[in-house]
Amino acid sequence: MLDSGLAGPPTRLPSATLYNATRVDALLTWPTLEEAAIDAACPWGLFVGRRQPDRPMTSDGQWDRAGVGWDMPAITGAWIRICIDRHGFLPLVQTVGGFVALGADIVDVRVVTHGDSGLQHRERRLLLREPGAWFDALRHRRLVTGAGPPYLIRGWHPTAGGGPGWGVGQCGP
């Protein structure tokens, strides 16, 4: 997790990698997000990427890199598209060990095909922009979701008639 850059750049020595103790201690003070706070900030859903972002985390190219290489079923891409069509964007956070490392607005989702016609692989590319005001409620927070797949989506209804929840590969209203 420290390698993600959340505690600042490391000092590399021949036999050790050191981090600023004040910045490491500050990570320990990040509060855990409650589901009600997530739903209030992102009422129509939240895409949670669970992979380590590239550094530096605030550069313009970071959003381009964070949007590439999402292996997801077509129904997931369609659900993201519906959110974008209805609301203009879908909020995205990228977490490292549960710590929110990056926020962005998903403004488009595209299919990218790799390989030849006999052996093709399709993945989704998320086009991202700087996050809106919603990110203020999630910045410098922890989002505890446990072990699992490389992404989760808050707002899908995992069961018929259920309220907001976490889902992967399931679609709701």
Side-chain angles (χ1 to χ4, degrees):
M1 199 239 355
L2 293 176
D3 192 41
S4 72
L6 287 174
T11 301
R12 300 198 189 279
L13 303 175
S15 61
T17 300
L18 306 174
Y19 292 88
N20 179 296
T22 303
R23 292 191 71 174
V24 171
D25 288 343
L27 286 174
L28 299 174
T29 67
W30 286 20
T32 300
L33 281 163
E34 300 294 331
E35 290 184 350
I38 297 167
D39 295 340
C42 307
W44 60 86
L46 173 68
F47 185 97
V48 180
R50 295 150 41 112
R51 60 185 191 184
Q52 185 162 316
D54 297 327
R55 289 182 289 171
M57 291 186 303
T58 58
S59 71
D60 291 337
Q62 175 63 27
W63 289 300
D64 291 336
R65 291 187 303 272
V68 175
W70 292 102
D71 188 9
M72 63 180 66
I75 190 72
T76 304
W79 190 87
I80 293 170
R81 163 60 46 213
I82 290 168
C83 287
I84 294 167
D85 290 348
R86 287 182 181 169
H87 307 288
F89 68 97
L90 177 66
L92 171 145
V93 292
Q94 217 166 332
T95 63
V96 177
F99 290 83
V100 174
L102 177 75
D105 291 350
I106 304 172
V107 295
D108 198 4
V109 59
R110 297 184 180 161
V111 176
V112 178
T113 304
H114 302 284
D116 59 31
S117 61
L119 191 60
Q120 288 187 342
H121 173 73
R122 291 182 177 188
E123 63 184 27
R124 301 297 182 272
R125 178 185 171 107
L126 307 175
L127 298 178
L128 308 175
R129 69 177 181 210
E130 190 167 343
W134 64 267
F135 189 57
D136 292 340
L138 282 70
R139 184 187 318 268
H140 300 295
R141 304 283 193 279
R142 293 186 56 224
L143 181 57
V144 180
T145 56
Y151 68 89
L152 295 171
I153 299 177
R154 177 86 184 151
W156 279 12
H157 299 270
T159 59
W166 294 101
V168 176
Q170 304 156 7
C171 191

